[in-house]
Amino acid sequence: MDRIYLIGYMGSGKSTLGLALAKALNREFIDLDNLIQSRSDKSIPQLFYQYGEEIFREVEASALHKTFLMSKIVVGTGGGAPCFYSNMDEMNRHGMTIYLKIAPDLIVDRIIKDQNVRPLLANKSKDELILYIQNHMNLRKQYYERATLIINADQKVPDLVANILQAIKTNE
Ligand code: S3P
């Protein structure tokens, strides 16, 4: 398949895994947030705070559409990308989607040091974060679970890559 989309909640490790997977498959890695930022000259927090989430989601969907024109890529999507418009269906139509599933308490440990670069998680105490992530993930899982492949993200990157390569082979 021409395009592999890594989806999952913030902090599930999409960028780290995406780079390693792209390298293993000899493909280009595209981070959707970076694509958005390079096209708008604004950081993700700036887009959120200046224009609001609705505009951010429009810009995000339009960046995603650009990837449908590219081939031999691994794309790390933002945590919300599959949950707006028909993005999830379209990613499934144009490629393979892989959901990196992870427990909320592990997410908190992973994101706490750079919590404020993610506007949806900014300025929350640790207790607030856990509750927010639990609820938010519950709302989002109906989208995430439509992925071609669901994988437990709490594994070392080389193991994740090996498991995914195996699953891709079976899928072909
Ligand atoms: C978001 C996830 C972020 C970024 C934005 C919104 C979300 O990307 O797109 O802050 O709604 O889950 P990461 O999942 O790469 O942190």
Side-chain angles (χ1 to χ4, degrees):
M1 84 287 320
D2 276 339
R3 299 161 207 93
I4 296 174
Y5 292 94
L6 299 180
I7 66 166
Y9 204 78
M10 292 172 265
S12 57
K14 292 161 291 183
S15 302
T16 312
L17 173 65
L19 278 167
L21 185 63
K23 195 167 171 214
L25 289 167
N26 200 16
R27 289 173 172 227
E28 186 185 352
F29 174 67
I30 294 183
D31 181 297
L32 197 64
D33 280 345
N34 286 347
L35 192 62
I36 295 169
Q37 295 180 126
S38 67
R39 292 180 68 224
S40 67
D41 278 341
K42 295 214 165 12
S43 70
I44 301 295
Q46 273 172 334
L47 277 171
F48 253 81
Y49 296 130
Q50 232 170 299
Y51 300 106
E53 181 170 355
E54 226 176 287
I55 300 288
F56 171 75
R57 296 302 171 192
E58 282 175 23
V59 179
E60 180 177 58
S62 116
L64 184 65
H65 287 165
K66 295 266 180 270
T67 68
F68 301 150
L69 304 172
M70 306 174 188
S71 58
K72 299 288 166 217
I73 51 170
V74 174
V75 183
T77 63
C83 316
F84 291 84
Y85 313 111
S86 51
N87 292 351
M88 189 63 205
D89 289 337
E90 288 180 60
M91 283 190 276
N92 276 331
R93 188 141 32 92
H94 291 277
M96 176 185 190
T97 49
I98 302 176
Y99 169 29
L100 300 186
K101 191 171 178 176
I102 188 165
D105 50 325
L106 292 182
I107 299 228
V108 172
D109 293 341
R110 286 173 175 218
I111 57 97
I112 204 102
K113 46 185 176 350
D114 55 1
Q115 176 187 0
N116 289 344
V117 300
R118 295 179 166 101
L120 294 175
L121 304 181
N123 307 315
K124 288 183 171 54
S125 71
K126 199 166 175 180
D127 288 346
E128 287 170 334
L129 263 182
I130 290 263
L131 278 180
Y132 178 84
I133 293 173
Q134 279 168 343
N135 286 329
H136 202 202
M137 215 191 260
N138 257 336
L139 294 172
R140 286 182 166 184
K141 75 174 188 218
Q142 55 177 314
Y143 301 96
Y144 294 155
E145 287 178 351
R146 278 162 37 204
T148 324
L149 175 69
I150 300 180
I151 195 154
N152 168 20
D154 186 23
Q155 304 178 56
K156 295 211 165 71
V157 172
D159 294 337
L160 279 169
V161 171
N163 289 342
I164 291 172
L165 292 180
Q166 184 60 43
I168 290 175
K169 247 196 211 156
T170 321
N171 225 286
E172 269 169 355

